[in-house]
Amino acid sequence: MSFEEMWAELLPIGRDETSGGYHRFAWTPPELECRAWFRDEARRRGLAVENDANGNMFAWWFPEDGKRHDAVLTGSHLDSVPGGGAFDGPLGIVSAFAAIDLLRARGVRPERPIGIAAFAEEEGARFGVACLGSRLLSGAIDPARARALTDGGGHTLAEVMHNAGLDPAAIGPDDDLLGRVACYVELHVEQGRALEQPVGVAGSIVPHGRWRFGFAGEGNHAGTTALGDRRDPMLPFARMVIAAREAAERNGTVATVGKVAVVPGGVNAIASSVTAWLDARGPADDAVRRTVKEIDEAARVAARPHRVCVEFAEESYTEIVDFNLALRDRVDRALDGVPVLPTGAGHDAGVLSARLPTAMLFVRNPTGVSHAPAEFAEPADCLAGVEALAAVLDDLARG
Ligand code: GLV
Ligand code: MN
Ligand code: MN
């Protein structure tokens, strides 16, 4: 299967016919279909499929001497944000299979195992915590907390994993698996317009996190309740959205409220509660922390006159990631020099960098759009990405 054929197979899975956006949430039917595709592609190539306890999947090309450790891992994720693009995640996995095909066609015999990973729930679109699979694998999240995470329908991660045939009691750090991996190199579509050449390499990931605000008021009739009698949670919520923009402008960060749940959600009813999720990122930890603190304060000040209660919780936070310099230099040398750029997007490579050397290759995105249907990379740039990944894997797998 060529890159184009693999891409064409994945393309219809989980795509909304009207918007063209993807809905591939962890362990939902479209994502399970992507997982089946992954297993088929691995088996087609004689790669050994390994499922870990955390819902992550691996496809291994072992060297002829049977060596199982000191592996070079590549890959990405198959899940998407709601209404996401086709490239964020799958590009890294399709490119990895295509890179292995290229190496084999050239007669390369790796001295170290080469693995392709498909990490679970990277976007955190279902259970709220981004990079959940790599966080569990590397010990960056408490398994008990993870088991209790709930999706929008009230189903816990434990329940969903159990229904998918996994044992939720077994989730957590896997030092045996990580101990077999020497480094991880993730190829990803660029998510801005900063890359002017087909391929670049990541320098750093900015600090970023997610916070949940709960505004609890009192549901009531939209026509018969006098303004002075209302406890309308929508008002401090609205103020909080504006405060997020203002705090981001003051602190040189970005802050976004992209998800909100209104209960009960009736046109002619004052809401009883509003839950809103804040995503904040910036060049330094203190700027991000200050931004979030200012938004929280603004929400509380706005809630008081309306007798609305505010709850606030951090759902995930990732400190600045500076990618391993020695690995980045080696990648750069294997590619004869490519641009280095920082990114405002989170990745499993960032989470795993706490445990092993990681690096990222970016493929140019001419629109700069991501997490939306217009996300795009030119076919020629995708093939340049495959060539680059093959060159990097070839170099790293030589020992
Ligand atoms: C993942 O793509 C993120 O940056 O949220
Ligand atoms: Mn993403
Ligand atoms: Mn991604």
Side-chain angles (χ1 to χ4, degrees):
M1 277 257 183
S2 65
F3 179 97
E4 293 82 359
E5 286 165 331
M6 286 189 277
W7 197 251
E9 272 198 5
L10 274 181
L11 217 51
I13 304 174
R15 184 175 59 196
D16 181 287
E17 290 299 328
T18 311
S19 69
Y22 286 85
H23 297 265
R24 295 171 176 162
F25 308 134
W27 294 294
T28 60
E31 198 252 10
L32 292 174
E33 208 179 318
C34 292
R35 286 172 179 265
W37 169 89
F38 180 92
R39 282 191 296 271
D40 286 349
E41 289 306 313
R43 288 190 188 123
R44 200 194 299 281
R45 291 169 175 81
L47 306 175
V49 175
E50 177 178 358
N51 299 297
D52 76 2
N54 296 308
N56 305 310
M57 296 189 305
F58 301 85
W60 294 109
W61 178 17
F62 292 120
E64 282 160 10
D65 66 3
K67 186 173 178 175
R68 292 289 188 269
H69 59 279
D70 228 9
V72 177
L73 190 63
T74 183
S76 194
H77 59 97
L78 293 165
D79 65 310
S80 78
V81 297
F87 293 78
D88 180 352
L91 183 64
I93 292 178
V94 172
S95 300
F97 282 120
I100 284 185
D101 292 347
L102 212 53
L103 294 178
R104 286 178 165 177
R106 289 174 184 164
V108 170
R109 293 171 170 205
E111 290 164 37
R112 301 158 73 173
I114 296 179
I116 304 176
F119 287 108
E121 178 74 336
E122 192 270 354
E123 300 287 6
R126 183 160 185 190
F127 291 101
V129 176
C131 300
L132 187 59
S134 57
R135 279 184 207 273
L136 281 165
L137 169 66
S138 62
I141 185 169
D142 174 30
R145 181 188 160 215
R147 274 189 286 273
L149 291 170
T150 51
D151 67 7
H155 302 289
T156 63
L157 177 73
E159 240 176 283
V160 169
M161 287 186 99
H162 175 77
N163 291 340
L166 292 153
D167 176 10
I171 66 173
D174 188 339
D175 291 344
D176 169 60
L177 201 162
L178 275 186
R180 286 185 267 136
V181 179
C183 60
Y184 175 59
V185 181
E186 179 169 353
L187 179 146
H188 205 278
V189 67
E190 218 300 81
Q191 293 172 285
R193 273 194 310 266
L195 183 57
E196 289 172 358
Q197 295 182 28
V199 175
V201 51
S204 58
I205 299 180
V206 304
H208 58 284
R210 296 179 182 190
W211 293 264
R212 189 181 63 249
F213 283 83
F215 298 91
E218 185 178 57
N220 214 329
H221 196 291
T224 60
T225 316
L227 292 182
D229 290 342
R230 297 177 181 216
R231 294 177 56 212
D232 186 349
M234 204 61 105
L235 298 169
F237 158 66
R239 183 64 218 137
M240 179 276 236
V241 176
I242 305 294
R245 172 69 186 223
E246 291 168 351
E249 281 171 359
R250 270 193 306 277
N251 290 291
T253 55
V254 291
T256 308
V257 181
K259 178 176 171 182
V260 56
V262 179
V263 175
V267 178
N268 52 356
I270 298 161
S272 58
S273 72
V274 174
T275 306
W277 285 264
L278 170 72
D279 178 308
R281 313 181 188 213
D285 285 307
D286 58 345
V288 176
R289 293 287 183 195
R290 209 166 38 244
T291 302
V292 175
K293 187 162 177 279
E294 288 175 12
I295 299 167
D296 184 30
E297 280 166 7
R300 284 169 201 280
V301 168
R304 230 167 274 137
H306 300 286
R307 295 170 293 130
V308 167
C309 301
V310 182
E311 272 183 16
F312 169 78
E314 181 171 301
E315 291 201 327
S316 64
Y317 189 75
T318 306
E319 289 179 359
I320 190 160
V321 172
D322 285 311
F323 284 105
N324 183 285
L325 261 186
L327 182 60
R328 195 180 91 197
D329 282 352
R330 188 152 170 189
V331 167
D332 191 57
R333 274 200 305 279
L335 301 178
D336 294 326
V338 283
V340 178
L341 54 154
T343 178
H347 300 284
D348 296 305
V351 170
L352 293 175
S353 70
R355 296 292 307 273
L356 45 104
T358 66
M360 290 193 74
L361 297 180
F362 289 136
V363 172
R364 175 166 58 186
N365 176 343
T367 64
V369 174
S370 190
H371 285 183
E375 184 180 84
F376 183 67
E378 293 288 353
D381 288 354
C382 293
L383 295 181
V386 172
E387 284 282 355
L389 184 61
V392 169
L393 295 177
D394 186 10
D395 178 55
L396 293 172
R398 281 177 200 273

